[in-house]
Amino acid sequence: MEAISKNFFLYLSNNKLLDRLAKRFGTRFGADKIVGGETFSQAIPLIQQLNQEGLQVTVDHLGEFVNCESEAKERAQECIHTIQSIAQYQLQSEVSLKLTSLGLDISRELVYENMENILQEAEKHGVTVTIDMEDSSRCEATLEIYKTMKAKYSNLGTVIQSYLYRSCGDLDELDSYDPYLRLVKGAYKESGKVAFPEKKMVDDNLKQMIEKNLLNGNYTAIASHDDAIIEFTKNLVKKHNIPTDRYEFQMLYGMRNQTQADLVKEGYNVRVYLPYGEDWYGYFMRRLAERPANIAFALKGIFSK
């Protein structure tokens, strides 16, 4: 039943008609519980509040699969504006972005141009940028662009997904780049030819990736709400005396709030992934697909309005 539910919401996440309706009617359907607003200005008070609670943040202007050059450049300018605002308001925040929003499906040259402009501004203000990982068909291109840009800019991270067979090999290949990596399970629907078909396999691979990257001495963001993964990491860092400035836990805004607060009290670094923007629909559907509990959470949001 869980697999059926996941496939259903992943299917809805790609429905263009529902996406248009979502933009028209806004975040009233419970999405405002997990999205920081439709503009970065709306998200600033939330970031300030999270910072006061001891939580760091990474913000993501929602939107992907851009196929118009002018729109891709607009997305890049939005990232630059966000970086400038982070500096202006002295927010403890990084920026996450998707390469398809910067023109990956249009041309590689356009992506490099947009990334150069963004990273130059980020370097000037001391803001870290993370390239989000998308579906497996774009994984190789994403990692190639990351490696090219990482050779020029140190304030750059990317994401590796444990449900892909290739991921441990990717960690080995990236090791020489002194990478800052966010390790996640993955939220896209993938073929059994490229991804582990069972949850336990995905979980076991994530544990292996966390151990490998930490023991390689690379900064590691463990992005999971799974108590078993969190406990595994705690035991691992204690066993190997890994200092807290070499890793952090990451969780989604609006999810596991008490767990986030507890980790902060225990002395761990915790970063909240805070998305914003009008294109919230696909992100929202993928969150519903990840955990059946999120469906009840969303329904509560609808009827509490």
Side-chain angles (χ1 to χ4, degrees), residues 6 160-165 167-168 183-188 190-192 194-210 223-224 226 228-229 232 290:
K6 178 175 181 177
I160 303 295
Q161 302 171 115
S162 72
Y163 69 171
L164 297 179
Y165 299 137
S167 293
C168 277
L183 305 183
V184 305
K185 293 183 182 182
Y188 291 87
E190 300 284 2
S191 163
V194 298
F196 293 104
E198 297 178 12
K199 180 181 182 299
K200 185 179 186 307
M201 296 178 178
V202 176
D203 291 353
D204 289 346
N205 198 41
L206 180 56
K207 292 177 181 178
Q208 183 179 348
M209 288 164 51
I210 292 168
S224 176
D226 190 328
I229 298 297
F232 168 82
E290 285 176 350

Side-chain angles (χ1 to χ4, degrees), residues 6 47 58 86 160 162 164 177 187 228 239 268:
K6 178 175 181 177
I47 299 171
T58 186
I86 288 171
I160 303 295
S162 72
L164 297 179
Y177 290 84
K239 176 182 177 181
Y268 295 104

